[in-house]
Each structure stands twice: as C-alpha cells, then as structure tokens.
Amino acid sequence: MNKPNISESNPAKGKNDSTVYYFEESLHELGKILDFSMDLICSCDEEGNFIWINKASERILGYNPEELIGRKYTNLIVHEDADNLKTENFDFRSATHVPIFEKKFIHKNGNIIYLQWSAVWDDIKKLCYCIGRDVTEKKNKEIAFEIERLRFFNIYSQAPSYMGILSGPGHVYELANELYLQLIGKRDIIGKTVKEVLPELEVQGIFEILDHVYKTGESFSANEMPIKFDRYSNGKLEEVYLNFIFHARRDANGNIDGIFVFGNDVTEQVLSRKKIEESEKMYKDLIHKLPVATYSCDAEGRIVLYNKAAAALWGREAELGKDLWHNSWRINSNKKEQTSALNLCSLATALKQGDPILNKEIIIERPNGDKRNVVPYPVPFYNTDGEITGAVIVLSDITEMKLAQKELRKNEKKYRYLFDNNPMPMWIIDLKSFKFLDVNKMAILQYGYSREEFLSKTALDIRPNDDKIHFIKSSDTSQINKSNYNRGIWNHIKKDGTIVPVEIIAHDIMYEGTAARLILSNDISDRIKAETNLEKRNRELIKTNSELDRFVYSVSHDLRSPLTSILGLISFIETESKETDTLKHAELIRISINHLDDFIKNILSYSRNNRTGLEIEQISLNELIFDVVDSLQRMKEAKGIRYEIDIKEEKPFYTDRLRITTILKNLISNSIKYHKKDKTDRFVKIFGYSDDENLHFSIADNGIGIDPEYHQKIFEMFFRLSGKDGSGIGLYIVKDAVEILQGSIEVQSEKGAGTNFNITLKNLKPC
Ligand code: ADP
C-alpha cells in the first residue's frame, strides 16, 4: 500500500536536505493526523481525480486511499446527483471557496452515504482541497422524521376526528383540520384567538377550561358534553354533543406553549341514543301502566319486564331473566296445556312455526292454589334480519268470563226449562215479520196447533181480522221500548176456531241475534166470566143495602112515634092512678119503652153514620164533653159519680160533630152504666190533648172492668157481657164512627179493676 505522498506536490521541494527532511517529517506527521480525522479529507485535480485522500475513506466509503487515488470522485456519486452536479455546473476552479453542499455517494457495499462537503480551490497548484463529512445518519433521521411528519399530516387532515392546535396563553389557532372547521362552521381562523372565533363559548365555561389546561398542563376530557355553536353566524345557537380532549403541548424545554384539541361530534349518537332511551322508557312506561297483565321477554322467553297487573295475575312477583314457566310457579298439570306453555317460552320457534298453541288458553296456578284461565297474546319484536328478538305478551285473564259463560249456559238451560215447562202458553215472535220463532208445550196444548203449525204462522194468523190492524199498530217497537214491556188484553183464535180472550205480557228480547218479543199468554175467559158475575152481584148488593137502609130508617122513625104516644099515656096513668101496683107497672113499662127508644135511636145513629157525609167543624172539646156528661145525668146510675175532665186543646181540633158526639155519648154512658153500685168514690176521668195532627184522649172508670178475653168481642154488634139492659150495639157504633173519623180505639181493662178506652182521632183541619 502506497503511503500518501504529499511531498510530491510540496512546493518546498528543492530546499536543503535537513530542512527538507524536517519538512517531510512534518508533512508525514500531518498526513498521520489527517488519517485519523473523522471526516473525509482529500485533494483533487482539475478533472476531479483523487490526488490524495485520508484513511477515513475506508470507514466512510469502504475503499482504502490506494483504491481511490487516481479515480474520479464522480464515479462514486449516485447517478442522479452526478447529473445535478452537471446542471449546477459545479466547477472546482470557479471559486476560491465553494459553499457547503451535500452529495450522495455509493459505499463499496452499495449503501448510500450522504456526504456534506466543503472545498477550496488552489489556483496556483491547480488542486482542490475538500473535506467531506458523513451525514448519513442525520440524513436518515431527517427522512424518517419527514415520513413521520407526512404520516401525521395525513392522519391529521384525514382523521375522522376534529383536531386543532391552539398556541400561547391567548389560545390562538395554529392549526385546525377540515372537520374542526365544519364543526364550528367557520373558515380562516388561523392566527385568530378562540375568543374571536367562538365568542359563544364564553358563557359555556370553555375558556376557563382552556386556561386551566394551559396553566396546569392537566389534560381535560369531556364526554358527550353539550356545546352550543353559532354555526351560521346568525346568533342562533345550535347544540352539539362532543367528546373531546384538551391536551397541553410542550416545547423542547418542556414548557407549555399550546393546547392540542381532539374531539368527535357525537351528537347523532347521543340524540339517537336519547331517542332510543326515550322510546324504551315509553315502552317500559306503557307496559307498567297497562291495566292488563303484560310482560316482555327475550327470544328465549326470559322475562325482561312485567307490570303490576301481571304480578297480580300470577299471584307473585316474577324473577327477571327466567322464563315464565321456569319461574317456579306451576302451570296446570294437564299435559297438553303444559306443552303449550313450554312452547310459548321458546317463543321464537313457536312464532316461526306459526304454532297454533299461541293465543290458546292456558291455566296458571297461583302459589295459593288459585287457578286462573289465561290467554297469552304475544306481539313479537323483529331485528333487521327478520329474526325474533323478543316479544311483549299480554295475558288476558278469562277466568271470570269463563265462569260467567258457564253461568250463562246454566241460566240458558234453566230458562229453556222454564220456557218449555211453563204452565202458561209462551212463544217468541220475530219483531219484523211477527213469525213464531219458538213456542212452548203449553201453547201447543192450549191452542191446539202443532209446533210445526205454529212455526209456519205469524202472530197475525192467530188473531181475528178485527184485531189485526190494531195488533200491527200496537206492535210499534218505539212504543214497546218505552218500558220494554207491554201488557194487554187480546183475542186469540185456537185451532178449533174458538176465540178466547187472553191477557198478554210482552217483553222485547234478543233471540239468537235477532230482535224478538217474548209473549206470555193467559187465557182469561174464566176470569172475565167471574168478573162479570161479581159486578152483577155487587150491583144487586148495593141495591139491597140501600133498600135495607131505607127500610131501617123508616121503620125506626115509624116505631118511635107510637113509643112517644105510649110514654105520654104512661105519664097520664102516673098522674091519674093512685094504685101502687099500677104505678109500679107503669114505671116498668116506662123503663122498657125508654130502653126500646134508646135502641131505636142507636139504630138510627148507626144508619146516619153510614149514610150522611162528614161535616167538618172546629169542636170545642171540653165544652162538648161537659154537654154530653150533662145530658147523661138523667141515667139512674149517674148518681154519686165524680167526673174529672181535662182536655188540653193545644191546637184547634176539627172533626164531624155528630160522630164525635156519638162516640163520647156511648163511651161515657158505658162508664156510668158499668159501675158497682156499692162502691165508694166512683169516678169517670176524661183526659187528653189535641195537636196539629190528632186528638188523643182516654175515658177511664173504676167500674166492673172487662175480662181481657172479651176485649175484641165487645166491639162486635149486639155483644153484651153483663146482665144489664143494653143492646150490645154501642161499642159497635163507636168503632164504626172512630174509623170514619180516621182514628183508632183500644181498651185496657181487668175484670173488677175498671176500664180505660184510649182513642185517637185525626185532626181533620181544613188545609
Ligand atoms: P151495651 O148496650 O150492652 O152497653 P155496648 O156495645 O156499649 O153494649 O157494650 C158491650 C159490652 O161491653 C157491654 O155489655 C159491657 O158488658 C161491656 N162494657 C162496655 N163498656 C164497659 C165499661 N166501661 N165497663 C165495663 N164493661 C163495659
């Protein structure tokens, strides 16, 4: 290997030897030093051939200096760079000091080596001195960085997120990608502050957050934060939901110099999620509020949700996530029904196969043993692929309905029985055509038509012609519907042609879906006959009665006048005769005549009682009673009787004078009459009061009394108890008069203990 021989070109050649030697030694030393240089050091001639090169060539280019000396440096340059060299018209001789330039060289192993050159031209020696520094590593890093930068830029500009960089404490836009611009609805924002571009954020607290991030370096991340932007610069704020991060940017010294903004507009997701949430809530609410037992389940029939009505129907709360039938309550043990129930739980399969089991009745047994008849109505949910994902199931409790149906069937049977076996003829006619729709056994029996004959007729056919029009008129539904019930007398024709009067009870009904009328017919021939007879006898009776009345009246009158004459004659005998016997007999005759006269007067008063009408007037009660008592003093039993009379006339009392006088006269005369002769302190007490409604009074004596067994009898006509002379008609007349005056009478008495009559009479005051 040749040593580099710089001396060959040394300009000091030809000087004396020691100086030369020393000079050469120095050069040799210099050559050594140059060899250790990290940089490539060389000299080239005018053509660019290496004249000298240091040993760094071996490390940098893979060639030792001997391999290179005499070779053109351009041969080591990468082709394209060699061309550049030409175009740059680089000439070693053109300048004394060329600027630093960079060239790509090819290493012996083929790698590209970046060399940064500085060179100087020595015009005297016609040599160029060059130093080349290996900057491959730095260059590679630069390239990698550039690639990285480009990649970031791509990411940044094409990112599906919005991004921006704010610089400085004032948050000036340094960068903003397209999405960011779209988000805020603004352009040309670079160099402006956030405050200038988005003043609407002031009140939304965003600036405080930015300041905080800038000051503290703590990142801020927001999740679905609602932010309002004046997107169309018209003052109308539009709300968007954003996920974003504010992240502090630091310079080479680690000081915060800006903020990275990354984010996503999640408005659509948030809104659609909210919508889903809302509709889910609505659906849940709906289920919860439904008054019918309802639950929702997934495709496997597992319960997701159920309402109170469902829990009430099941008689217990359900365990969510388990299907209805495994939820530990029991289904009716009937095998067929249980299978249906299990099929329902794998709803998807059941629905797909169009399982006829759905909507079929099942029986649920509650924990307390109650059984409920239930019909499930499932409404399936489908996903976009048409697969069933679940269902809402309405459980219709038909237990009561079934019971009612059962009851109805029972009732139907009962009514059918009642209809068929009713002892009265019954039938049903169509309201429009009057056709017989049904007829019972008794109708067939009484009318003589067979069932078939009836069913081929109309209601008109069993009526005489005269009645037909009237029947059509009175069958007017609007009339009947007024009370939905009609009653009337009609004539019907039997099969044998006889016409019978019947009483009809009609009732509008629905019969097998059509408007119909149920008719009940009652043959009233006998009743009419009986009524006619009764009327006839009544008339006769009235006639007989009035005749009798007239008879009694005239007889009584006619009887009294001879009695009066007899009494006159007796008075005459009594004054004329001195004979004791004659006088005694005359006295007996007088007593009998008086007695007979009293009787006739009573009969007359009874007859008047019935014949004459009431004459109502105000009665002064105490006065009337005193008068009556006074008039009775001629009775021989009246001697020695004490009277206590006190009627409190709180309200004026109105009644018929004749009747009340008859009542008082009879009762007081009895009280006088039925006294014990030997008894001391005999009394008659008459107490009472009158108010707006009634007069209440009692007539009490301490006479012989009446045994309770006769208390009812004494009011009967001609009933007498004692041996006294009486006709037994007095109390009968009293009772009659009390009834006419709308009152009542009752007796309280014990034998030997006196008698008390309590009387109430209505105050017949004029209104
Ligand atoms: P008579 O004309 O016999 O009095 P009444 O009809 O007035 O007929 O009375 C029927 C009977 O009731 C009397 O015969 C008498 O025995 C009994 N009687 C009526 N009032 C009294 C009385 N105050 N005390 C006892 N007995 C009485």
Side-chain angles (χ1 to χ4, degrees):
M1 190 167 76
N2 288 335
K3 264 187 190 173
N5 192 356
I6 308 170
S7 60
E8 278 177 346
S9 56
N10 193 331
K13 206 179 172 183
K15 296 258 175 95
N16 65 52
D17 280 355
S18 67
T19 315
V20 167
Y21 173 78
Y22 176 77
F23 194 65
E24 276 185 352
E25 265 303 291
S26 298
L27 268 178
H28 186 65
E29 287 296 312
L30 186 68
K32 261 185 181 171
I33 292 167
L34 290 178
D35 274 344
F36 285 113
S37 167
M38 293 293 286
D39 296 333
L40 198 73
I41 303 170
C42 63
S43 57
C44 296
D45 63 11
E46 277 171 299
E47 271 74 47
N49 297 317
F50 289 110
I51 300 298
W52 186 84
I53 190 160
N54 70 348
K55 279 197 173 167
S57 66
E58 224 174 306
R59 184 177 46 84
I60 293 171
L61 293 171
Y63 300 99
N64 57 38
E66 286 76 23
E67 282 176 287
L68 292 176
I69 288 171
R71 277 180 71 177
K72 259 197 170 117
Y73 83 89
T74 46
N75 291 344
L76 293 171
I77 288 176
V78 172
H79 198 62
E80 58 195 71
D81 267 23
D83 292 347
N84 284 349
L85 207 64
K86 272 179 211 157
T87 51
E88 278 164 16
N89 204 14
F90 177 76
D91 190 346
F92 284 114
R93 294 154 298 174
S94 61
T96 50
H97 186 89
V98 289
I100 291 169
F101 56 93
E102 216 175 77
K103 287 290 165 222
K104 281 189 257 176
F105 280 73
I106 302 165
H107 191 275
K108 198 176 180 182
N109 65 10
N111 285 348
I112 289 176
I113 304 294
Y114 291 86
L115 289 178
Q116 204 176 46
W117 290 98
S118 73
V120 69
W121 176 253
D122 186 338
D123 208 34
I124 302 161
K125 292 215 176 142
K126 301 291 179 207
L127 277 176
C128 181
Y129 300 104
C130 312
I131 297 178
R133 176 165 291 174
D134 181 358
V135 291
T136 312
E137 215 168 302
K138 187 179 149 229
K139 198 72 197 172
N140 282 342
K141 273 185 188 157
E142 269 176 20
I143 291 167
F145 179 77
E146 182 60 17
I147 290 167
E148 212 38 46
R149 197 189 65 80
L150 274 173
R151 198 178 290 160
F152 170 74
F153 186 77
N154 281 344
I155 289 170
Y156 158 78
S157 54
Q158 290 163 24
S161 311
Y162 64 77
M163 292 180 192
I165 298 172
L166 305 172
S167 77
H171 317 304
V172 176
Y173 283 108
E174 190 181 303
L175 242 160
N177 71 351
E178 181 57 29
L179 273 182
Y180 187 89
L181 297 175
Q182 281 175 14
L183 170 77
I184 61 170
K186 302 276 174 352
R187 297 265 143 199
D188 304 325
I189 62 168
I190 304 303
K192 292 179 188 164
T193 65
V194 183
K195 249 181 210 184
E196 286 168 328
V197 177
L198 303 169
E200 63 266 33
L201 295 186
E202 174 101 57
V203 289
Q204 301 183 49
I206 298 298
F207 298 147
E208 279 92 332
I209 298 171
L210 284 172
D211 289 344
H212 185 79
V213 173
Y214 196 87
K215 260 182 225 152
T216 63
E218 289 168 20
S219 297
F220 174 85
S221 65
N223 189 35
E224 295 181 359
M225 190 187 222
I227 306 263
K228 286 172 189 153
F229 288 117
D230 183 5
R231 275 175 150 169
Y232 305 102
S233 304
N234 59 2
K236 278 186 188 161
L237 297 182
E238 204 173 279
E239 189 170 68
V240 290
Y241 290 88
L242 303 177
N243 286 350
F244 63 86
I245 295 176
F246 291 156
H247 190 71
R249 184 183 69 175
R250 289 170 194 272
D251 63 13
N253 298 322
N255 296 321
I256 295 167
D257 72 344
I259 294 173
F260 290 111
V261 179
F262 303 99
N264 276 312
D265 183 350
V266 289
T267 313
E268 262 172 51
Q269 290 98 295
V270 172
L271 289 183
S272 64
R273 197 192 61 231
K274 279 196 172 170
K275 251 187 208 161
I276 290 170
E277 278 169 4
E278 254 170 48
S279 62
E280 201 162 294
K281 191 176 168 293
M282 261 168 60
Y283 141 81
K284 281 183 179 170
D285 273 4
L286 185 75
I287 289 187
H288 279 303
K289 283 178 187 158
L290 272 179
V292 267
T294 310
Y295 73 97
S296 73
C297 65
D298 62 16
E300 304 310 315
R302 288 183 291 243
I303 298 174
V304 177
L305 197 75
Y306 65 92
N307 65 7
K308 275 188 191 156
L313 170 64
W314 299 329
R316 49 162 293 164
E317 297 294 328
E319 211 178 314
L320 299 181
K322 287 202 174 171
D323 69 57
L324 182 60
W325 321 109
H326 289 101
N327 220 309
S328 81
W329 59 76
R330 288 162 52 213
I331 312 296
N332 186 20
S333 54
N334 180 321
K335 251 195 176 170
K336 198 180 149 211
E337 274 157 349
Q338 203 159 34
T339 332
S340 338
L342 289 170
N343 276 354
L344 186 75
C345 87
S346 54
L347 190 73
T349 341
L351 283 168
K352 257 183 218 156
Q353 292 165 356
D355 197 325
I357 279 146
L358 295 171
N359 299 352
K360 279 271 172 72
E361 184 190 328
I362 55 168
I363 295 170
I364 290 181
E365 192 174 326
R366 287 176 177 166
N368 67 3
D370 278 1
K371 285 181 182 158
R372 308 298 296 177
N373 303 68
V374 172
V375 179
Y377 294 98
V379 180
F381 300 143
Y382 296 92
N383 64 10
T384 40
D385 298 334
E387 291 158 354
I388 289 163
T389 57
V392 169
I393 295 159
V394 175
L395 298 171
S396 173
D397 185 348
I398 56 162
T399 317
E400 270 75 30
M401 199 181 83
K402 281 200 89 172
L403 281 177
Q405 274 175 356
K406 226 179 182 178
E407 201 57 26
L408 201 71
R409 275 199 294 274
K410 240 165 73 188
N411 278 348
E412 260 173 24
K413 257 190 193 164
K414 238 180 353 205
Y415 288 125
R416 182 80 229 171
Y417 183 84
L418 278 180
F419 179 78
D420 279 340
N421 299 291
N422 203 292
M424 310 270 271
M426 285 175 95
W427 57 80
I428 295 166
I429 55 164
D430 184 297
L431 265 188
K432 276 185 199 141
S433 63
F434 304 131
K435 257 183 112 77
F436 285 95
L437 300 175
D438 205 347
V439 58
N440 78 348
K441 287 177 196 159
M442 193 46 82
I444 294 165
L445 197 77
Q446 276 196 15
Y447 282 72
Y449 305 110
S450 70
R451 168 178 292 275
E452 290 67 35
E453 279 169 330
F454 258 122
L455 298 185
S456 64
K457 285 181 188 302
T458 74
L460 288 171
D461 299 334
I462 60 160
R463 284 179 161 77
N465 284 341
D466 297 350
D467 279 13
K468 281 180 182 164
I469 291 168
H470 177 49
F471 172 76
I472 293 167
K473 268 190 202 158
S474 63
S475 290
D476 181 1
T477 348
S478 65
Q479 276 294 86
I480 293 274
N481 282 352
K482 269 184 196 160
S483 57
N484 203 28
Y485 156 81
N486 193 12
R487 211 181 176 117
I489 309 283
W490 295 92
N491 290 315
H492 282 174
I493 309 171
K494 289 189 181 178
K495 176 136 194 221
D496 62 13
T498 50
I499 294 176
V500 285
V502 289
E503 188 185 38
I504 288 299
I505 298 173
H507 198 95
D508 280 0
I509 55 164
M510 285 303 287
Y511 180 79
E512 290 172 357
T514 51
R517 188 167 294 163
L518 175 69
I519 309 285
L520 192 140
S521 144
N522 183 16
D523 184 342
I524 53 168
S525 318
D526 293 344
R527 200 177 86 191
I528 284 182
K529 247 182 240 162
E531 275 171 8
T532 324
N533 280 343
L534 203 68
E535 260 171 44
K536 201 175 139 203
R537 274 171 57 193
N538 254 355
R539 273 197 304 276
E540 283 168 8
L541 215 59
I542 287 166
K543 198 175 153 229
T544 316
N545 263 357
S546 67
E547 278 170 358
L548 197 66
D549 229 25
R550 270 203 305 281
F551 171 73
V552 168
Y553 187 71
S554 62
V555 164
S556 312
H557 257 103
D558 295 349
L559 277 178
R560 277 203 76 199
S561 28
L563 286 184
T564 320
S565 323
I566 294 169
L567 280 174
L569 286 171
I570 286 177
S571 295
F572 179 72
I573 292 168
E574 279 171 343
T575 43
E576 292 297 305
S577 174
K578 298 281 184 259
E579 272 187 53
T580 341
D581 276 357
T582 312
L583 287 173
K584 207 178 169 185
H585 290 144
E587 169 68 7
L588 286 174
I589 294 168
R590 175 182 293 283
I591 289 171
S592 288
I593 297 290
N594 274 338
H595 181 59
L596 187 61
D597 192 37
D598 277 351
F599 179 70
I600 292 167
K601 271 196 257 174
N602 270 332
I603 294 281
L604 273 174
S605 125
Y606 170 70
S607 148
R608 264 205 305 274
N609 211 9
N610 279 303
R611 273 188 299 113
T612 55
L614 294 181
E615 275 179 41
I616 306 299
E617 59 183 294
Q618 192 184 333
I619 306 289
S620 168
L621 292 161
N622 285 300
E623 214 172 280
L624 177 66
I625 293 168
F626 275 115
D627 287 351
V628 170
V629 170
D630 201 36
S631 73
L632 294 171
Q633 290 314 304
R634 66 178 177 85
M635 286 172 72
K636 65 176 190 304
E637 297 92 341
K639 263 175 215 145
I641 290 182
R642 180 167 60 84
Y643 298 93
E644 279 182 45
I645 298 162
D646 186 17
I647 302 288
K648 293 193 168 53
E649 295 178 68
E650 286 163 12
K651 287 279 150 79
F653 183 70
Y654 294 84
T655 196
D656 177 83
R657 182 177 289 278
L658 182 74
R659 266 81 175 192
I660 192 170
T661 310
T662 307
I663 293 166
L664 288 168
K665 226 179 209 167
N666 275 294
L667 291 173
I668 297 170
S669 71
N670 277 354
S671 291
I672 294 169
K673 215 170 11 172
Y674 298 110
H675 259 297
K676 292 178 194 152
K677 270 183 203 133
D678 47 352
K679 187 161 168 87
T680 50
D681 191 27
R682 290 176 294 162
F683 64 76
V684 173
K685 293 180 181 173
I686 305 166
F687 296 143
Y689 67 93
S690 68
D691 58 25
D692 250 349
E693 302 296 316
N694 297 301
L695 162 67
H696 302 274
F697 70 102
S698 61
I699 299 177
D701 62 61
N702 54 349
I704 61 168
I706 309 160
D707 194 316
E709 73 171 289
Y710 301 115
H711 284 187
Q712 289 307 314
K713 288 231 173 244
I714 52 172
F715 293 104
E716 287 175 11
M717 198 184 249
F718 305 129
F719 181 82
R720 284 189 306 170
L721 255 183
S722 59
K724 293 245 175 196
D725 349 302
S727 53
I729 200 170
L731 287 180
Y732 177 79
I733 292 170
V734 166
K735 186 139 199 231
D736 200 45
V738 165
E739 273 165 17
I740 286 173
L741 296 183
Q742 299 175 49
S744 62
I745 180 166
E746 53 157 38
V747 61
Q748 294 170 325
S749 182
E750 287 293 334
K751 202 170 176 195
T755 307
N756 184 14
F757 284 96
N758 290 317
I759 302 105
T760 303
L761 297 178
K762 196 172 177 200
N763 194 345
L764 300 171
K765 61 184 189 302
C767 325

